[in-house]
Amino acid sequence: MNVLFTERAMERLSQEPAQAYQLNPSLGGCSIGADWVTFIGMKELSAEINEKFLSTNFKPVLLGHKSDHLFDEDLKVDYNPNTSTFILKSNSQIYTAYMKLEYKN
């Protein structure tokens, strides 16, 4: 899988302390799709997860456990300054237009 960050998203994320990001979908009632996606900034990386990162044009992105079947092969992360949220989409659909950046404690 590939993740392309837009210029707006990279500009906004360059202000953050994260070394990498994680996309965690919350499964719908029948587990056939994602109801929403959590966007998590990771301040530290551990050696055991380095192999699981997706290909990106910015910082590394880790996809939540067993979630790859929920998304298209090529994803795009954009930023909407009007709502201060990120947008996760592909060429065929928008997964979420209101993805907020969170951090793990």
Side-chain angles (χ1 to χ4, degrees):
M1 292 181 71
N2 305 301
V3 179
L4 175 72
F5 287 87
T6 64
E7 289 295 324
R8 283 191 307 197
M10 289 188 289
E11 183 178 310
R12 172 61 184 87
L13 291 171
S14 66
Q15 302 168 24
E16 296 292 332
Q19 293 183 15
Y21 300 96
Q22 185 173 19
L23 293 170
N24 285 326
S26 175
L27 298 179
C30 297
S31 298
I32 56 173
D35 281 346
W36 70 85
V37 180
T38 306
F39 191 42
I40 300 171
M42 302 168 66
K43 293 181 181 179
E44 296 179 9
L45 301 178
S46 59
E48 63 268 7
I49 63 171
N50 281 340
E51 302 172 353
K52 300 176 184 175
F53 286 111
L54 305 178
S55 171
T56 79
N57 64 330
F58 187 53
K59 294 183 180 180
V61 173
L62 179 65
L63 190 59
H65 183 66
K66 296 183 181 179
S67 303
D68 55 343
H69 69 283
L70 299 174
F71 300 105
D72 290 338
E73 184 65 24
D74 295 312
L75 299 174
K76 185 181 286 187
V77 175
D78 197 1
Y79 180 71
N80 183 344
N82 295 327
T83 59
S84 299
T85 58
F86 294 89
I87 304 160
L88 180 64
K89 57 188 173 181
S90 68
N91 287 336
S92 61
Q93 62 184 313
I94 296 174
Y95 295 99
T96 180
Y98 301 101
M99 190 168 63
K100 292 195 179 280
L101 179 62
E102 302 174 7
Y103 281 91
K104 286 186 175 181
N105 294 335

